[in-house]
Amino acid sequence: GAGVSQSPRYKVAKRGQDVALRCDPISGHVSLFWYQQALGQGPEFLTYFQNEAQLDKSGLPSDRFFAERPEGSVSTLKIQRTQQEDSAVYLCASSLSRGTTEAFFGQGTRLTVV
Amino acid sequence: AQKITQTQPGMFVQEKEAVTLDCTYDTSDPSYGLFWYKQPSSGEMIFLIYQGSYDQQNATEGRYSLNFQKARKSANLVISASQLGDSAMYFCAMRINNAGNMLTFGGGTRLMVKP
């Protein structure tokens, strides 16, 4: 497809369960970002990759959150031992290169922890 | 640290009228970019318009224009000739050019266009 693709679109997890969220960026896009959007709020930065290198993970809220992009394309955001406060929409965005004005977002994964 | 403030939680506008969505920002860095995104109920963030801090002219993209007042640190979005499909959440965001590539978002404004 032409856009950023995220899967699954919806995920319900029991508290304590591990989850993995997938992001397929636009082909050829070097930069990839993860954001967390709580209900009724703006997105908040989690982490940033340039190719396979994770250059910034300052926004990850705890060590239960882990992201990877091993081949510089598809990225996975993993949350271990999910808690209710992890319930949010997780957005992935990609851009052609560092400094490019426009970042393209996926539709997000809505995670609900029960 | 940078901060984006959107003071209007919700706005109504009559179809075909113009509407201004407010955004103020706070940064001490001289090099930054300002963005507006639209988020319909389907969830994706759609890029609308970009303004660089050194740009001399206000950005325009079709029916969207950005009223950039650098001294006041404001970057209001103006939508002309509103359409029913403009009903959505609108987010203002900032990127500091020398501090990573991430966007800092405001809390958003919900725009509702009345027929």
Side-chain angles (χ1 to χ4, degrees):
Chain A
V4 178
S5 177
Q6 292 187 245
S7 60
R9 284 294 316 277
Y10 304 92
K11 176 69 179 178
V12 178
K14 290 185 178 179
R15 190 170 53 183
Q17 187 179 354
D18 296 350
V19 299
L21 312 179
R22 177 187 169 103
C23 173
D24 271 282
I26 294 173
S27 178
H29 277 198
V30 167
S31 299
L32 185 145
F33 309 82
W34 284 98
Y35 292 85
Q36 180 190 57
Q37 186 176 20
L39 188 63
Q41 299 182 21
E44 293 192 352
F45 170 76
L46 293 177
T47 186
Y48 161 59
F49 290 86
Q50 189 166 317
N51 295 307
E52 69 278 4
Q54 189 175 21
L55 298 187
D56 190 336
K57 53 182 181 179
S58 61
L60 295 177
S62 78
D63 58 8
R64 296 185 296 104
F65 286 71
F66 171 76
E68 59 183 5
R69 193 187 185 196
E71 297 179 358
S73 178
V74 171
S75 178
T76 304
L77 176 67
K78 297 179 180 178
I79 309 173
Q80 296 177 324
R81 304 180 304 281
T82 52
Q83 301 177 4
Q84 283 191 317
E85 59 263 31
D86 300 335
S87 295
V89 174
Y90 291 85
L91 293 166
C92 176
S94 70
S95 65
L96 190 57
S97 64
R98 179 184 173 89
T100 303
T101 58
E102 184 175 355
F104 296 84
F105 283 79
Q107 289 188 298
T109 294
R110 181 178 296 277
L111 173 66
T112 304
V113 181
V114 298
Chain B
Q2 52 270 22
K3 185 177 179 182
I4 296 281
T5 302
Q6 296 180 251
T7 57
Q8 306 153 314
M11 289 278 289
F12 281 97
V13 64
Q14 197 68 41
E15 191 179 10
K16 300 180 184 177
E17 297 290 315
V19 62
T20 298
L21 306 184
D22 294 342
C23 172
T24 58
Y25 59 92
D26 187 21
T27 181
S28 57
D29 202 292
S31 180
Y32 52 89
L34 296 159
F35 301 76
W36 277 91
Y37 281 85
K38 172 184 178 181
Q39 188 177 43
S41 56
S42 53
E44 76 274 26
M45 300 285 279
I46 302 168
F47 167 77
L48 297 178
I49 196 166
Y50 166 81
Q51 179 88 40
S53 60
Y54 295 119
D55 293 344
Q56 296 296 311
Q57 293 188 325
N58 287 346
T60 60
E61 288 286 348
R63 295 187 297 112
Y64 305 108
S65 60
L66 200 152
N67 184 2
F68 181 44
Q69 298 189 41
K70 194 169 182 177
R72 296 181 58 189
K73 293 189 174 178
S74 74
N76 298 341
L77 176 70
V78 180
I79 306 175
S80 63
S82 297
Q83 302 172 357
L84 296 178
D86 293 336
S87 294
M89 286 291 293
Y90 288 81
F91 291 95
C92 180
M94 176 169 62
R95 181 186 68 208
I96 305 299
N97 293 334
N98 298 323
N101 227 18
M102 76 288 289
L103 296 169
T104 300
F105 286 85
T109 295
R110 180 172 297 282
L111 177 67
M112 290 153 283
V113 180
K114 298 186 290 185

